[in-house]
Each structure stands twice: as structure tokens, then as C-alpha cells.
Amino acid sequence: MGLRIAVIGVSYLGAVHAVGLATWGHQVIGLDIDQAKVDSLNKGRAPIAEPGLELALRRQLDSGRLRFTTDYADITDFADVHFIAVGTPAAADGSADLSQVQAVVDRLAPALRRSCLIVGKSTVPVGSAAELQRRVTQLAPVGAMAEVAWNPEFLREGQALADTLAPDRLVWGVASETASARLRQVYARPIADGVPVIETDLATAEIVKVAANAFLATKISFINALSQLCQATGADVVKVANALGRDPRIGRAFLDAGPGFGGGCLPKDIAALAKRADQLGAPRLAELVRSVQAINQSQRDWIGQLALVCLGGSAPGKKVAVLGASFKPGTDDTRDSPALAVATSLAESGAEVRVYDPAARVDRSGLTQTDTLEQALLDADLVCHLTDWPVFAQLDPARLTGPRNKILLDARLKLDRPTWEEAGWTVIQPGRPWPTGPGR
């Protein structure tokens, strides 16, 4: 028998989580203050482009296990568990803005008249859950019988539904056996499938999430910094990464050089970690994280400079085709996209920049989005591969007749260089040996 669960905040994280919970047999109500978003979800339209999500959403709506509302009265007496999945955007000083989380607690807690579990999924600075528990106890008529737990998410955009239904681990922080037992009911299906559970205290659960993001960002920035050294010495960053990846202490994942990381999570989460580390007296961690941020920004700048070199050192009057706008393939998310950062720098240098992406929409001054790849490539002096969508890897370079000059900057290092060179292209891959001539 499934539980009755509310998911508060149904954008990217919350919508996927609500669908996953309903798939496991729970009765689920998703709540959001955005009426248009709720109406769209109730009609089976997902708020984001995510493989498999819309089909799964419609199935769960049809099953009767899932619906969406804007009314807190629909969830306060209904739910045994309330998940908080609202955003925690970056504040002006880099810290996490918890106003949405606090607004949920201030609205929900005064209406709680029976015992329940409030579970945070939003990424928050360490110490936030304990403070929210004090706030809930103060505001809720049932006091401490409304208990707070923290259950961070580890979703990858483009694979979010799969990561929800088959996670590689479940992490939660609790303060009682009652909360632990309730979460084991929530996640009974994946636990039965053998997914490991890491159960800990509130503070540790909060740190696990930001630590995971900071470590991944560090690996990316390390290999990107190394790519600049490889470029300067004629070494091959891909072969270096492959050799490093054979070391079981290191692993190959997240050692792909490129224009850096972006999106709505890693940049803001590591900025918030640095700020919190400063506040709590861990300056060395803050220093490390800020170095990772600086390398990430410098990588974008460096890729932009390489593009200018490919244009002969001058951008005015030149046409550049940019392949990709989203921050990664498999999503339409352009938040803090490295691809758009590089494209914008070229436009600001005077180039005419046309962008093609299979899913993402571009609304940025100086950039022209095309409906087709062919339109982007027409008369291009340079082609920049900035988001590694599979469709770009499947291109036949011998059939690309639109560009004026066959010069490719493969900033993602994912296109087959020999194939492109055999078709007469000059291929520049950052961190790999520079070509000696056109097509060679």
C-alpha cells in the first residue's frame, strides 16, 4: 500500500520526483504556486525537456495516482510525507537564497495538525535543516511531531527520470527512527532492488550533496586546466585523461576536457559552498572551490580566444556557426551554458554568430538561432562544436557543403578528427596537438 505524499515545487526536480513516487505506487499531489505550470502538468505536459518524462507523467496522471494543485489545503491533511523541492538560487553574494524554502515552511507548518515528515530535497547550506526544524516546531500546531529530514537528489539533466527510478544510492539525514522508517517506506521499491542506503544526520546529508557537486566540478576544472598545459606543450589531453582514468583511485568519468561546466546546479552550488565554508571557518575549502570556479571561467575565455585564432585573429565580418546552445546534451537548459558564453564572446568581438541546437531556445543579444543546421553552416568561416549532442557526432563532414571555410573548433573533443580531416577539414581540438595544415 503506497503512502500519501506531497511534492512542493514541481519544476525540474519536483516534477521528476513526483512522477517517480507515483510510479512506485504512492498517491502523490504536486503543488506549485504557478497556476500555468500546474495546469500544464495536469494536462500531461512536462515543464522541461527530459527523456521519457512526459510519457511517464501521462501514465501516472491516467493511473489516478498523481495530480497537481496550487492549494495548500489539498495537501496539509492529505500527506504523510511532504517533500520540499523548490529552488535555492544564488543570492547576490554567492550564498544560497533560501527564501523559497522558508516560504514553503511558513505556509505549510501552521496547517499541520497531525504527525508527518517534511523532507527537504533542495540543495541547501549545511545547518539549514536544523534551523527549519526549529521553525516548523514553532509554527506547527503538532510541534515536533512534524519532523524534518533531508534527502538530497543526485539527478543528471538528460537522465533525471532514470536516475530517480534507479538511483545509484539513497542518502538521507534523520533525527529519529520514525523518520528513518517512513523514508524506507517511501523508497521501498528501489531498496528492494538493492539500491544502497546511506543514513546519517541532517548536517552530513546536506554536505554530501554539495561535496559531490564540488568534487565533480574539481575534476572537470583539473582536466581543463591540464588541457591548457597540453596545448602549450604539444601533448594530448585525451590520452592523458585515458591514462589517468585507468587508475582506480581516479577513474575516467568527468575527465573530458572542454569549455567547462555550467547549468543550474554546479555553478551555484559550489559558489554557495565557498560562501558557507567562509562563514563556518573553513577557508582552505573556500579557497579550493573558488579556484575551481576561476578555472571554469578561464576555460570559457580560452576557448573563445582559440576561436579568434581560428578566424585569423579578427572577428569583424566573419561568420561563425555554433553547434549547441544547451549546457549539456539531452536537455533544453541554457542556464550558465558554456556554449552560449563562448558564442556571446565571439559576437561581442564582432562576428556574426548563428547557433543551432536540437532542443534549446536561444534568447540572447547578438546571437541568431537557426531552425536548421544547414542555415547555421551557410557561408561560415568557422564551425564551433560547443555542446556534444549525438546528432553532431553523426554528421558526415564530406557532405557539409555550406561553410565557406572548412575549419572546425571541436571544443568538446567528441568528433572523430581523422574522419573530418579526410574530408578536407582543419580540426582544432583544445589540448590536443595543433594541425599542421588544412585537413592535416
Side-chain angles (χ1 to χ4, degrees):
M1 184 69 177
L3 295 172
R4 294 181 298 176
I5 300 175
V7 178
I8 305 170
V10 287
S11 293
Y12 168 68
L13 167 60
V16 176
H17 190 55
V19 169
L21 291 168
T23 301
W24 291 331
H26 301 299
Q27 295 292 321
V28 182
I29 297 178
L31 182 143
D32 203 283
I33 60 174
D34 186 334
Q35 184 68 60
K37 185 186 300 178
V38 165
D39 291 343
S40 181
L41 283 161
N42 276 325
K43 293 175 182 177
R45 295 196 292 266
I48 53 170
E50 187 67 37
L53 178 58
E54 201 153 276
L55 176 60
L57 168 65
R58 291 171 180 168
R59 284 176 175 170
Q60 297 314 311
L61 290 169
D62 291 343
S63 76
R65 290 189 295 269
L66 178 63
R67 66 184 179 93
F68 298 89
T69 184
T70 59
D71 191 350
Y72 272 82
D74 288 342
I75 67 170
T76 49
D77 291 329
F78 164 82
D80 305 301
V81 181
H82 299 272
F83 280 97
I84 299 177
V86 295
T88 53
D93 64 354
S95 63
D97 179 356
L98 301 184
S99 59
Q100 294 182 51
V101 175
Q102 293 162 346
V104 169
V105 168
D106 288 350
R107 184 77 180 272
L108 176 67
L112 297 177
R113 292 177 172 78
R114 64 184 181 89
S115 63
C116 62
L117 185 64
I118 300 171
V119 186
K121 291 202 72 69
S122 306
T123 303
V124 296
V126 60
S128 302
E131 180 58 37
L132 289 173
Q133 178 66 78
R134 288 189 286 271
R135 184 72 173 157
V136 168
T137 301
Q138 177 187 16
L139 293 176
V142 295
M145 292 176 66
E147 187 175 350
V148 172
W150 221 260
N151 169 218
E153 53 84 16
F154 301 97
L155 307 184
R156 297 166 293 173
E157 288 197 43
Q159 302 178 69
L161 184 61
D163 287 344
T164 295
L165 297 177
D168 52 23
R169 81 281 205 196
L170 293 165
V171 178
W172 59 65
V174 293
S176 73
E177 287 297 326
T178 301
S180 173
R182 185 54 57 89
L183 281 167
R184 288 182 182 275
Q185 286 180 284
V186 171
Y187 292 108
R189 183 79 64 85
I191 291 173
D193 291 338
V195 174
V197 174
I198 296 95
E199 181 173 302
T200 184
D201 57 90
L202 294 173
T204 302
E206 291 167 318
I207 288 177
V208 165
K209 168 63 180 191
V210 292
N213 278 354
F215 189 78
L216 295 177
T218 300
K219 287 190 75 173
I220 295 168
S221 282
F222 174 80
I223 199 65
N224 281 338
L226 205 61
S227 72
Q228 296 189 29
L229 176 62
C230 289
Q231 187 81 61
T233 59
D236 190 328
V237 70
V238 173
K239 293 180 179 179
V240 171
N242 289 340
L244 290 174
R246 291 289 184 178
D247 189 327
R249 299 168 300 174
I250 298 174
R252 185 60 174 82
F254 288 85
L255 283 180
D256 290 317
F261 58 81
C265 292
L266 253 63
K268 79 171 182 69
D269 289 352
I270 66 171
L273 175 60
K275 187 70 175 180
R276 192 60 169 157
D278 275 336
Q279 293 170 344
L280 297 177
R284 298 287 78 80
L285 176 60
E287 183 181 353
L288 172 63
V289 171
R290 290 197 173 100
S291 294
V292 169
Q293 291 175 296
I295 292 169
N296 192 55
Q297 181 57 53
S298 73
Q299 190 73 2
R300 301 177 181 195
D301 297 339
W302 182 57
I303 297 295
Q305 289 300 313
L306 287 180
L308 286 177
V309 171
C310 294
L311 289 171
S314 177
K318 305 292 179 60
K319 296 179 180 180
V320 179
V322 168
L323 310 188
S326 57
F327 85 94
K328 62 179 287 188
T331 178
D332 60 354
D333 193 345
T334 60
R335 290 176 294 175
D336 201 12
S337 167
L340 289 185
V342 174
T344 299
S345 74
L346 290 170
E348 291 173 347
S349 296
E352 178 186 331
V353 181
R354 290 171 294 189
V355 182
Y356 172 74
D357 191 282
R361 303 307 301 168
V362 178
D363 183 16
R364 185 170 295 195
S365 177
L367 304 182
T368 299
Q369 182 165 27
T370 64
D371 294 327
T372 68
L373 177 63
E374 290 74 19
Q375 290 172 333
L377 293 173
L378 185 63
D379 293 330
D381 297 289
L382 172 66
V383 177
C384 292
H385 177 228
L386 298 178
T387 307
D388 50 325
W389 284 92
V391 66
F392 299 143
Q394 296 164 5
L395 291 174
D396 181 353
R399 294 179 176 271
L400 300 180
T401 58
R404 179 184 301 152
N405 295 311
K406 291 187 174 183
I407 304 175
L408 169 70
L409 174 59
D410 177 18
R412 289 290 179 178
L413 289 78
K414 292 295 179 66
L415 303 182
D416 186 61
R417 186 169 181 169
T419 299
W420 284 75
E421 289 179 336
E422 288 171 8
W425 287 74
T426 298
V427 181
I428 291 87
Q429 293 180 312
R432 307 197 78 181
W434 200 264
T436 57
R440 300 181 64 82

